[in-house]
Amino acid sequence: MAATKARGLRRTGVALAALIALTAAAGCGSASDEPAKASSRPGERPSKADPPKRPEPKPKPSVSAADGGDITACADGNCEIAVSEPVTIPFKGPRGPATLSVTEVGPNTIAYTVKSGNGQSKGSVSGPGQGCITVLRSNGSGNSCGGLGDAGRPSPQPDAVVIQAATGKDGTAVLQLVSD
């Protein structure tokens, strides 16, 4: 009887090992980062001939800016960058860390929010040659939006960061941050 019991345990162990191996094989996914495509029959894998979908390239700013599109250039509160998509830019404000978040950018359109400490300021404008100027101070901020004309680079102000956001006809905005 002991021999029969031992044979039964061996068979159970072999069956259990086979079941574990089958379960592990069924749970294995592809080594690719691409998600498997749905097929018409269960268990069918996508064809190797199907090209993987690549993400669409981000639009490149078409206007030139002193610092290109490098948001890290703004860390000290002084930069000139071109953006063509929403972006958040951390910088040193009068009361410490601050952020400029471009929430919308398009042909002749820009909208943004500046946050510093517990305060925030919003600006938005649309139309050719339009823009906004935000002056961020340790005791608050102020905005002015409208036609910029040939405003050029904003002038530095004591104990403040001046932010100028200008629209572009092709969907590229130029942001300038100036601190003293």
Side-chain angles (χ1 to χ4, degrees):
M1 174 125 155
T4 306
K5 196 174 193 179
R7 256 186 266 133
L9 286 175
R10 254 185 268 135
R11 284 185 191 152
T12 303
V14 170
L16 185 58
L19 181 60
I20 290 171
L22 285 173
T23 303
C28 288
S30 109
S32 162
D33 286 351
E34 288 290 317
K37 293 182 182 175
S39 61
S40 58
R41 291 182 284 167
E44 183 180 282
R45 292 201 172 245
S47 164
K48 294 276 185 190
D50 292 341
K53 289 186 178 181
R54 299 201 190 283
E56 291 186 29
K58 294 180 179 178
K60 301 273 188 206
S62 64
V63 296
S64 62
D67 297 307
D70 182 12
I71 65 170
T72 61
C74 298
D76 64 354
N78 287 292
C79 66
E80 178 183 74
I81 63 171
V83 298
S84 55
E85 62 186 13
V87 64
T88 297
I89 303 162
F91 66 95
K92 181 182 169 206
R95 290 189 309 191
T99 59
L100 166 62
S101 297
V102 176
T103 56
E104 181 183 356
V105 62
N108 295 316
T109 301
I110 186 156
Y112 64 90
T113 302
V114 179
K115 292 182 181 177
S116 176
N118 292 330
Q120 76 174 8
S121 182
K122 293 184 177 192
S124 66
V125 68
S126 62
Q130 301 292 303
C132 291
I133 295 177
T134 299
V135 180
L136 182 62
R137 298 184 186 285
S138 61
N139 61 351
S141 63
N143 275 357
S144 175
C145 296
L148 289 178
D150 295 328
R153 184 171 174 86
S155 298
Q157 295 187 22
D159 301 319
V161 176
V162 181
I163 301 164
Q164 179 174 292
T167 64
K169 63 182 176 183
D170 65 349
T172 300
V174 175
L175 305 172
Q176 296 183 20
L177 279 71
V178 178
S179 61
D180 63 341

